[in-house]
Amino acid sequence: MKVDYIIVGLGLAGLAFAEQLREHGKTFVVFEDNSQTSSNVAGGMYNPVILKRFTPVWNAVSQLELAMPFYKKIEEKFESQYDYPIEIYRSFKSIEEQNNWFATCDHPALSEFMIPKVIPNENEAVNAPFGFGKLQHTGRIYTKKLLNDYKAFLRETNSIREISFDYDDLVFTDKIVKYQDITVSKIVFCEGFGLKQNPFFNYLPMQEAKGELITIKAPNLKIDYLLKSAVFVLPLGDDLYKVGATFNWKDKSLEPSEEGKNELVEKLKTVINVPYEIINQTAGIRPTVKDRRPLVGVHPQYKSLAILNGLGTRGVMIAPTAAKMLYEFLEENKEIDKEYCINRFEK
Ligand SMILES: Cc1cc2nc3c(=O)[nH]c(=O)nc-3n(C[C@H](O)[C@H](O)[C@H](O)COP(=O)(O)OP(=O)(O)OC[C@H]3O[C@@H](n4cnc5c(N)ncnc54)[C@H](O)[C@@H]3O)c2cc1C
């Protein structure tokens, strides 16, 4: 079998690169072994403001300009909905925070998103004595459904092998690489935290962060906005809400933990005051890089091996831009933006 590309990993990175290949009529096979869960469990939120400090998220506005039509196109192709626009209400902790909010509202890149008002809290189930700052043109990509549908599409076209990619089976000859029964021009590794097992790229400085979420049923909460306070509370419909997320830099396991649950429950106590039931708990490892920038580029020695990783906490917004950049580098010789490029790290 002969293909243009092998993609290793079908999370948000692998999907975004597969879309580049489809768009340009390239042939490919994806390998996916379900060893990582980040894209499947992600809250999937997109929002160009860092809600802790009210500062712009790195490159977010330009990333969103590409990401929104990207997800829309897949919605049209699969005749399904993945993008759920939802306003974000950031609860203020103090008058000082309210003032900081107003100061940032004038930022040229963010004025379209941030409403320069304090919205009073009218819901007794929510603790927000200083009211909220409201963000618009924000939302959530239902990543799990998107990836499930994409996988089904790849199965139909015989373009996915649901097994582990074995790095030992690579054979390099001139411009071609052989992997088992496949002859391929280029391999793009999109393994998320699985990068640690990749002998070609595991020199790159990942500083992964485990994240956990719970899903709760809270019939008396009745909010139709994404509430951001000590935790985020994202309405899913039918009185269900996703609550998250934790950051743990030590635990590398994929299993949900008691510690993670307790942390979320403790924080949630400060945010809402109605009873709820925990329905579900999930965990994943965010592929975060030491300098908080993505990992895009080719191996310094093996030019047929490329990487698309390091999407960190914002895979939804970054993946389409990073995938386009990698494709244009590999096929059109365009430069990769310095901040995305793996050349910033020495092997
Ligand atoms: C709790 C939590 C909440 C989050 N919330 C948000 C959010 O609200 N908004 C946002 O934008 N981002 C969020 N993120 C971050 C986002 O999930 C990541 O940026 C993104 O999922 C990374 O995608 P990826 O494709 O690089 O990696 P992954 O999703 O980890 O995908 C890698 C894939 O490669 C596969 N793989 C690995 N090794 C191999 C191998 N050898 N052979 C075959 N397959 C392999 C894995 O099984 C996996 O499917 C969150 C993450 C977590 C954990």
Side-chain angles (χ1 to χ4, degrees), residues 97-238:
E97 273 206 338
Q98 293 176 346
N99 292 336
N100 293 345
W101 178 267
F102 282 108
T104 320
C105 283
D106 289 336
H107 192 291
L110 301 181
S111 56
E112 184 197 333
F113 297 91
M114 297 175 76
I115 309 290
K117 265 192 210 163
V118 174
I119 313 283
N121 178 28
E122 284 163 2
N123 184 342
E124 285 183 2
V126 176
N127 307 326
F130 292 96
F132 306 100
K134 179 166 127 179
L135 282 156
Q136 60 186 7
H137 309 311
T138 49
R140 170 199 184 214
I141 300 294
Y142 190 173
T143 52
K144 188 176 175 148
K145 182 160 177 261
L146 170 66
L147 286 161
N148 279 343
D149 289 357
Y150 208 86
K151 211 180 252 180
F153 160 71
L154 293 180
R155 280 185 197 125
E156 273 168 31
T157 51
N158 268 332
S159 316
I160 188 163
R161 296 192 185 179
E162 292 176 67
I163 45 171
S164 288
F165 182 89
D166 186 346
Y167 307 94
D168 292 338
D169 284 356
L170 275 175
V171 180
F172 299 91
T173 53
D174 235 4
K175 284 191 172 161
I176 285 184
V177 185
K178 279 209 76 144
Y179 178 76
Q180 298 175 351
D181 61 319
I182 308 174
T183 304
V184 60
S185 304
K186 291 190 172 66
I187 303 180
V188 177
F189 292 106
C190 307
E191 308 117 310
F193 178 52
L195 170 80
K196 294 273 180 183
Q197 266 70 54
N198 183 326
F200 301 98
F201 287 107
N202 61 6
Y203 71 93
L204 293 165
M206 200 168 258
Q207 204 176 53
E208 60 282 350
K210 179 173 178 177
E212 301 198 43
L213 299 153
I214 52 174
T215 303
I216 62 167
K217 191 167 179 81
N220 300 329
L221 185 53
K222 304 287 177 220
I223 56 171
D224 58 2
Y225 50 82
L226 193 159
L227 168 61
K228 175 70 180 101
S229 188
V231 282
F232 74 72
V233 182
L234 170 70
L236 302 174
D238 296 330

Side-chain angles (χ1 to χ4, degrees), residues 8-13 31-36 38-39 42-45 163-165 167 190-192 211 213 284 286-287 311-316:
V8 181
L10 187 72
L12 288 169
F31 282 76
E32 170 54 53
D33 66 359
N34 296 319
S35 55
Q36 293 298 322
S38 187
S39 297
M45 273 110 55
I163 45 171
S164 288
F165 182 89
Y167 307 94
C190 307
E191 308 117 310
L213 299 153
R286 303 174 184 88
L311 304 184
T313 56
R314 299 183 207 281
V316 164

